[in-house]
Amino acid sequence: MKIKIIKFDEDLKLPERGHYDDAGLDIFMPNDGMIIPGETKIVSTGIGLELPTGTMGYMQVRTSLAKKGLILSQCAIDSGYRGEIKMILHNISTEIIEWKKDDRLANLIVINILLPDLVEDLGELRNDNAFGSTGK
């Protein structure tokens, strides 16, 4: 699969895999930054994508930063979105987390999705007790 990409900063490094079979592409930060303890911050990636119909993207924080307390909200990147991709970061640690330009903060994952048409007919209901409905 080939995906078109645009750099909003000509000096930015393009995403790349650390190893051929890695699930995600490393995202290189377009500038220096930091996030203080307890802060939620929207951070630019400097890139935009043209994802194929039937796919979606999402970002996940690199494990080396997750263990320090950096969380990235799992928001869908829809195939029709053409703007700059931004990340919603949360620092749940007690320390400031800093990064420099070209540091790798996150991975971009692209997955296939189903595009169902909803039909307003559930048919016969099995049970509506939900949690523990089998009695265990």
Side-chain angles (χ1 to χ4, degrees):
M1 167 187 323
K2 299 216 185 264
I3 296 175
K4 294 179 184 176
I5 187 168
I6 183 171
K7 296 191 299 184
F8 290 98
D9 175 357
E10 283 302 315
D11 193 32
L12 184 66
K13 289 177 70 172
L14 286 176
E16 62 184 39
R17 283 186 176 74
H19 302 282
Y20 171 77
D21 57 352
D22 285 352
L25 294 153
D26 290 330
I27 300 297
F28 296 95
M29 298 308 295
N31 46 41
D32 298 350
M34 69 176 208
I35 184 167
I36 62 173
E39 183 179 21
T40 295
K41 183 181 249 185
I42 296 175
V43 177
S44 295
T45 63
I47 62 167
L49 301 171
E50 186 176 323
L51 296 170
T53 299
T55 67
M56 65 162 277
Y58 72 93
M59 308 286 282
Q60 71 179 32
V61 71
R62 295 184 73 233
T63 54
S64 60
L65 293 165
K67 73 180 183 183
K68 293 180 179 180
L70 188 64
I71 296 175
L72 197 159
S73 291
Q74 300 294 305
C75 301
I77 304 167
D78 291 317
S79 63
Y81 179 68
R82 297 292 183 268
E84 182 178 7
I85 297 169
K86 298 186 180 191
M87 301 180 289
I88 303 171
L89 299 176
H90 313 278
N91 183 351
I92 62 168
S93 78
T94 58
E95 304 292 327
I96 293 173
I97 297 175
E98 296 182 272
W99 60 87
K100 300 288 184 198
K101 179 178 174 27
D102 292 334
D103 279 354
R104 298 168 295 151
L105 233 64
N107 293 304
L108 168 68
I109 312 290
V110 177
I111 59 174
N112 291 319
I113 58 168
L114 298 174
L115 299 170
D117 293 320
L118 299 180
V119 178
E120 199 171 346
D121 179 11
L122 293 178
E124 185 178 333
L125 296 178
R126 184 186 88 186
N127 192 333
D128 64 354
N129 292 333
F131 305 105
S133 65
T134 62
K136 296 188 179 198

